[in-house]
Amino acid sequence: MEKIYQPNKIEPLVQTNWDNKKTFMVTEDFHRKKYYCLSMLPYPSGNLHMGHVRNYTIGDVISRYQRLLGKNVLQPIGWDAFGLPAEHAAILNHTPPSIWTYSNICTMKTQLKSLGFAYDWSRELITCQPEYYRWEQWFFTILYQKGLVYKKKSLVNWCPKDQTVLANEQVINNCCWRCNTKIQYKCIPQWFIKITKYADQLLYDLDILTDWPQQVKTMQRNWIGRSNGLEISFKILNSNNVVTIYTTRPDTIMGATYIAISIEHPLSKNIINNNNFLNYNFKNSQIYQTNQYKNLITETQGINTGMYAIHPLNHNILPIWISNYVSIKYGTGAIMGVPAHNQEDWRFANKYNLPMQSVILDINNKKPKVDTHAMVYKGTLFNSGEFNKLNHQVACEKITKKLINQGIAKHKVCYRIQDWCISRQRYWGVPIPMIILKNGNIVSVPSNQLPVVLPENITTNNVFNPLKSDDWIHTIYKNSPASRESDTFDTFMESSWYYARYTCPNYTSGMLSSQAVNYWLPIDQYIGGIEHATMHLIYFRFYHKLMRDIGLVNSVEPAKRLLCQGMVLSDAFYYINKNNEQIWVSPLHVTVKYDKKGHIIQAIDDDGNHLTHLGMVKMSKSKKNGINPDIMIKKYGADTVRLFIMFAAPVNMPLEWKETNIMGVHRFLKRLWRLVYEHINNGPVETLNINILNNQQTILRRKVHKTILKVTDDIDRRHMFNTAIASIMKLINHLISVPKKNQQDRALLHESLLSIIRMLYPFTPHITFVLWQALGAEGDIDHSTWPIGDKTALIERTKTIIIQINGKTRDTIDVVNNTPEHTIYDLVSQKDSTALKYLRNKKIIKTIYIQNKIINFITEKK
Ligand code: ANZ
């Protein structure tokens, strides 16, 4: 063993050892408990960032820990290789997206390897390979046959920058999730998967997921947005038609003063088509562009249709309006306007001077004031005839019953979630395996003609998309000319089922091998960012249920336990240049002065600019505060980086990247190395005999086993890796200070080191690999077992007895529990007892002994 810890020397050697021995390659073993640990797969953007490093370190720590528990651990990795950045980069560099993608994969793979992650590399998946997406296409055709897929011309979100449509989940605050460009709406034919058919299952099965973060489950519940309401039909005056509205507040019906319908409501269409004036108004208003979704519009607009509806209870005549705040995609696309009690309606009625009628008392049981806003409290009814004085609940029930009895209402459940739009008008994706026949009918590509392979090695530009060219589109189906679908799948499709394919990546007889997939699934631990709560994590659960219903998997949910790691933050600095622009400077080029409390008081960059310190913020390219993992690994080694990441904060909390703290962690590993080095240099050790340990040794052993039990509980149950590491560090610091004189001291140190090294293995697998060998332990540490805390070592075996002479404390003595009085007397009589000198030449006339506590010798008075 070398005297000095040199991570850059040992880490590559250990990694080569793992590669050569294929240490982390696994297969199904029905005699062993399996553990499937998965971190969300990376997009091959070019370089690993610290967010990736944190995500994958957490996964690796959990995997290695489970491994030492004796489980058959699967930890795979792959690449989410389709997507727009590749196209952008390809356009910029005039190279095909595939070249850019594969070269990034190569770089990032080297980075992952340098961090020593225990992946089964034989299962690596690259989603842009036909062997992978062939099954995605096949699955889509099956869904089509089952009626779970349809093509529909519909108003969809359009990102003008990325030149593609987006699913609703991918629109955040009205902007594209990827490039933050404000979205527009377009009416084009698109493919959809019927996720709404699974809305209830996706909602109710959240209750099974007891080990998922509450926050994610709440976000999913809100996203699904199940609403229990009533459909009510209002007669149209002078017509045989009705207009059916959707409401969740039937108790407010007596306050309805108008009806509003969506622009795309069949009734609006008639009106608009038949009325030149309205048609003109409609086309020139902003309504059409903004009407997409409940609550998304910025300005409410309306057109009075001139038609009226009849209120079913008070028979009032209510005007029918067309408005953009009513969405065709929700409820029935029509509402009853209750401006006194619904803020949206209030805004509309206020703008168009429609009457307001309050019918619900406020929280103080007073008539509400509605001149500045609606009163939305669900209080007692008034102005409502036979329903006056009823509370919200009872009023809803009674009014519902009455309307149902009249035959004009029925219960209805609505969802906020919409069907998943999966068509993308981009080149670098999985071709949608569909064919449009001459007669307009659509058929799926027969399974024996799959995969429909995307032409690679093509240099595109923003205008030229090879899939839109005649070459691609023209095809033959059953000897007749036909057209290929030229859109590609949303790339979230690839990441919706990759976790299942990892269990049988090379299976060629079908999408999934049932033996492999049902052995490994569900995932025991899934790890990824919270930003996926309502995108990937919904699609992934949905896909699992689809696969189950097609008989491909047995389980109900894909992942038992979910962990969302916190962000990685670092200091961000900027200055304002002559042109009044904000210029960000990387922390690596900043010299900082701190006050005594560690606050930054001055920051200057390499060019002498005085900088403003924004604080600790999420590492990002735009703020130039990202830290390159490669530089850190080179400087301190992968083990230090990994240990720091796990030590600096609880896994679900933000992590502050501070180099001074990394240095501290690095020094700790050096101390551990030295401790082992010195111990080995002191020669061979005897076997430990716990029956002959002295008091101090017993106490030390108790400390070691107490730490094992605590670290196990911290990692296993609490997922508090940072406190686990703190306990290990404390123990090592203690071991450095204890005596190493006699053989049992050294035997005990040896036992302690073997336990500590195994506890550190998940965090720092390289150094522990080497130290394990240096200590002469059997086999590679990768095949050892997690140390077991010996609970009997925790039992206090000794007691300190106070020795008094005539009531005065003169000494103490450590004895084994429940030592009898005469033995204590013998011990005190031994020559080296301090108490002895007080007893010399004195006659003991009485002894008072309280077992395990105190002994008092009363002597004869002279
Ligand atoms: C009358 C009323 C009175 C309403 C009141 C609310 C409060 P949730 O609970 O989220 O499902 N609504 C129905 N369909 C709509 C559509 N297509 N576009 C826009 N708004 C629509 O919301 C249900 C409520 O949203 C419904 O209940 C309806 O307004 C409105 F004091 O009806 B309510």
Side-chain angles (χ1 to χ4, degrees), residues 225-228 245-252 262 294-295 325-338 340-342 344-345 375-376 414:
R226 188 178 200 275
S227 145
N228 218 331
I245 63 96
Y246 176 72
T247 181
T248 45
R249 292 290 306 273
D251 57 321
T252 63
S262 149
K294 242 180 111 182
N295 303 334
Y325 84 95
V326 183
S327 163
I328 191 64
K329 295 190 173 177
Y330 196 67
T332 57
I335 60 134
M336 62 176 189
V338 184
H341 301 296
N342 181 351
E344 299 268 295
D345 298 347
M375 195 294 290
V376 298
C414 281

Side-chain angles (χ1 to χ4, degrees), residues 83-308:
L84 252 185
E87 272 189 71
H88 289 323
I91 292 165
L92 213 69
N93 306 324
H94 306 288
T95 48
S98 59
I99 305 266
W100 183 84
T101 306
Y102 282 107
S103 119
N104 288 352
I105 290 176
C106 191
T107 315
M108 291 169 80
K109 194 168 167 176
T110 312
Q111 290 180 302
L112 287 179
K113 290 217 164 189
S114 76
L115 280 153
F117 297 135
Y119 295 131
D120 179 349
W121 283 101
S122 72
R123 294 170 186 261
E124 181 182 8
L125 285 177
I126 302 181
T127 61
C128 64
Q129 292 181 335
E131 299 77 36
Y132 178 78
Y133 64 68
R134 138 178 210 189
W135 298 110
E136 188 168 308
Q137 292 176 329
W138 171 81
F139 192 66
F140 188 78
T141 62
I142 300 292
L143 294 180
Y144 184 59
Q145 283 158 27
K146 299 229 169 237
L148 286 162
V149 155
Y150 61 93
K151 191 174 194 182
K152 191 176 138 194
K153 194 167 176 185
S154 148
L155 200 63
V156 285
N157 313 299
W158 177 260
C159 173
K161 181 156 177 246
D162 291 347
Q163 289 285 305
T164 186
V165 302
L166 298 171
N168 294 328
E169 287 80 5
Q170 295 151 19
V171 176
I172 298 166
N173 294 332
N174 244 358
C175 296
C176 169
W177 70 287
R178 194 187 287 110
C179 64
N180 213 22
T181 307
K182 204 165 179 247
I183 53 153
Q184 297 171 352
Y185 302 101
K186 261 199 173 182
C187 204
I188 40 178
Q190 300 290 299
W191 284 100
F192 291 87
I193 307 189
K194 286 189 186 168
I195 195 169
T196 48
K197 233 188 141 188
Y198 283 73
D200 269 345
Q201 284 187 50
L202 288 168
L203 180 68
Y204 295 133
D205 288 349
L206 285 172
D207 294 340
I208 313 171
L209 301 175
T210 46
D211 286 322
W212 276 44
Q214 243 353 300
Q215 191 192 358
V216 172
K217 292 197 281 183
T218 306
M219 284 167 83
Q220 293 212 351
R221 278 194 189 103
N222 292 340
W223 185 259
I224 296 165
R226 188 178 200 275
S227 145
N228 218 331
L230 198 67
E231 268 185 20
I232 309 171
S233 296
F234 286 59
K235 267 197 177 144
I236 298 179
L237 190 68
N238 300 330
S239 149
N240 291 330
N241 286 341
V242 292
V243 51
T244 304
I245 63 96
Y246 176 72
T247 181
T248 45
R249 292 290 306 273
D251 57 321
T252 63
I253 192 166
M254 302 304 260
T257 56
Y258 65 94
I259 297 288
I261 58 178
S262 149
I263 301 144
E264 288 161 309
H265 193 279
L267 214 54
S268 319
K269 283 193 178 153
N270 284 339
I271 294 161
I272 290 166
N273 289 342
N274 296 337
N275 184 316
N276 275 342
F277 172 72
L278 283 179
N279 201 0
Y280 173 83
N281 248 353
F282 165 62
K283 288 211 171 127
N284 289 287
S285 76
Q286 282 179 14
I287 297 180
Y288 189 72
Q289 279 121 51
T290 51
N291 174 36
Q292 154 65 3
Y293 222 121
K294 242 180 111 182
N295 303 334
L296 276 188
I297 47 147
T298 43
E299 204 201 330
T300 313
Q301 304 215 26
I303 301 169
N304 189 348
T305 63
M307 296 202 296
Y308 294 91

Side-chain angles (χ1 to χ4, degrees), residues 505-743:
N506 303 315
Y507 189 63
T508 48
S509 318
M511 183 175 179
L512 298 171
S513 139
S514 102
Q515 169 168 313
V517 81
N518 291 321
Y519 173 79
W520 291 110
L521 288 184
I523 298 165
D524 294 273
Q525 177 70 66
Y526 198 31
I527 307 145
I530 186 87
E531 67 275 15
H532 294 292
T534 54
M535 286 195 273
H536 164 65
L537 288 170
I538 287 215
Y539 301 141
F540 153 86
R541 294 184 56 228
F542 170 48
Y543 239 78
H544 194 81
K545 290 173 195 305
L546 288 172
M547 293 195 288
R548 177 204 53 193
D549 291 348
I550 285 167
L552 291 165
V553 297
N554 286 341
S555 37
V556 176
E557 283 286 331
K560 275 193 209 159
R561 199 166 173 170
L562 172 71
L563 193 159
C564 293
Q565 86 270 13
M567 287 182 296
V568 186
L569 318 178
S570 89
D571 285 314
F573 300 94
Y574 68 90
Y575 67 93
I576 305 289
N577 73 4
K578 279 186 214 134
N579 303 331
N580 227 4
E581 291 157 338
Q582 193 176 32
I583 308 294
W584 295 94
V585 181
S586 157
L588 296 175
H589 299 296
V590 181
T591 311
V592 186
K593 272 193 191 156
Y594 297 93
D595 67 8
K596 278 185 191 149
K597 287 184 179 159
H599 300 312
I600 294 178
I601 44 172
Q602 193 188 56
I604 302 179
D605 72 5
D606 294 349
D607 300 331
N609 293 305
H610 280 258
L611 308 173
T612 305
H613 178 225
L614 180 72
M616 277 275 176
V617 296
K618 185 181 174 184
M619 285 187 185
S620 72
K621 272 196 193 128
S622 62
K623 297 206 170 57
K624 290 218 179 113
N625 65 336
I627 305 286
N628 182 345
D630 287 346
I631 296 178
M632 291 295 131
I633 297 168
K634 211 164 163 200
K635 219 162 156 186
Y636 302 104
D639 281 341
T640 297
V641 172
R642 296 169 54 121
L643 189 59
F644 167 74
I645 283 182
M646 299 305 287
F647 178 52
V651 277
N652 55 352
M653 300 293 283
L655 181 154
E656 297 193 344
W657 193 270
K658 284 192 184 145
E659 202 161 336
T660 44
N661 295 358
I662 298 167
M663 282 147 71
V665 168
H666 188 60
R667 279 196 300 273
F668 160 76
L669 289 180
K670 279 185 174 163
R671 277 204 300 280
L672 169 67
W673 183 277
R674 199 177 322 124
L675 176 65
V676 176
Y677 177 79
E678 284 169 5
H679 170 66
I680 293 168
N681 263 16
N682 284 341
V685 269
E686 279 181 9
T687 36
L688 181 71
N689 180 354
I690 54 172
N691 298 319
I692 60 164
L693 295 185
N694 68 27
N695 198 28
Q696 207 176 3
Q697 290 163 339
T698 310
I699 290 170
L700 174 61
R701 188 158 182 273
R702 189 183 309 145
K703 231 182 203 130
V704 172
H705 285 270
K706 226 173 163 172
T707 307
I708 297 174
L709 290 167
K710 178 172 188 306
V711 169
T712 310
D713 187 53
D714 277 357
I715 294 183
D716 206 292
R717 188 179 57 88
R718 302 174 63 222
H719 267 181
M720 293 297 285
F721 304 94
N722 57 328
T723 55
I725 296 169
S727 306
I728 300 172
M729 286 179 166
K730 215 167 129 192
L731 182 61
I732 292 182
N733 290 338
H734 184 70
L735 283 179
I736 291 171
S737 69
V738 295
K740 299 164 187 80
K741 284 180 296 204
N742 69 37
Q743 276 305 333

Side-chain angles (χ1 to χ4, degrees), residues 327-540:
S327 163
I328 191 64
K329 295 190 173 177
Y330 196 67
T332 57
I335 60 134
M336 62 176 189
V338 184
H341 301 296
N342 181 351
Q343 189 55 31
E344 299 268 295
D345 298 347
W346 188 94
R347 271 193 9 214
F348 189 75
N350 191 47
K351 180 165 178 180
Y352 293 104
N353 272 327
L354 297 168
M356 301 197 189
Q357 164 79 335
S358 46
V359 289
I360 309 284
L361 296 176
D362 68 13
I363 196 158
N364 302 314
N365 246 355
K366 297 258 160 55
K367 289 189 181 170
K369 283 208 171 82
V370 295
D371 43 349
T372 54
H373 53 80
M375 195 294 290
V376 298
Y377 175 71
K378 294 175 178 170
T380 305
L381 273 64
F382 76 107
N383 272 345
S384 297
E386 61 183 290
F387 306 107
N388 281 346
K389 297 205 174 120
L390 297 181
N391 70 27
H392 167 74
Q393 180 86 24
V394 180
C396 281
E397 282 163 17
K398 292 224 155 132
I399 292 173
T400 299
K401 202 168 166 201
K402 178 151 190 169
L403 295 170
I404 289 179
N405 285 344
Q406 284 185 16
I408 56 164
K410 66 170 194 243
H411 290 289
K412 173 160 172 150
V413 173
C414 281
Y415 300 91
R416 182 174 184 264
I417 194 168
Q418 311 269 312
D419 280 340
W420 178 14
C421 169
I422 52 87
S423 313
R424 294 293 176 274
Q425 292 67 45
R426 302 298 321 191
Y427 154 60
W428 188 237
V430 177
I432 299 181
M434 291 294 180
I435 295 172
I436 302 120
L437 306 182
K438 265 255 148 78
N439 62 8
N441 287 350
I442 298 179
V443 291
S444 52
V445 174
S447 64
N448 61 4
Q449 288 173 33
L450 292 176
V452 178
V453 179
L454 181 79
E456 282 191 24
N457 296 327
I458 291 184
T459 312
T460 60
N461 58 43
N462 235 347
V463 187
F464 174 66
N465 173 349
L467 301 192
K468 306 286 172 201
S469 70
D470 287 350
D471 280 358
W472 171 266
I473 289 175
H474 289 327
T475 186
I476 302 288
Y477 183 80
K478 293 198 175 157
N479 299 326
S480 304
S483 324
R484 263 190 203 293
E485 174 59 75
S486 61
D487 284 351
T488 48
F489 283 145
D490 178 4
T491 57
F492 277 100
M493 291 273 277
E494 285 89 85
S495 52
S496 293
W497 69 285
Y498 75 109
Y499 67 96
R501 185 70 185 173
Y502 275 144
T503 68
C504 49
N506 303 315
Y507 189 63
T508 48
S509 318
M511 183 175 179
L512 298 171
S513 139
S514 102
Q515 169 168 313
V517 81
N518 291 321
Y519 173 79
W520 291 110
L521 288 184
I523 298 165
D524 294 273
Q525 177 70 66
Y526 198 31
I527 307 145
I530 186 87
E531 67 275 15
H532 294 292
T534 54
M535 286 195 273
H536 164 65
L537 288 170
I538 287 215
Y539 301 141
F540 153 86

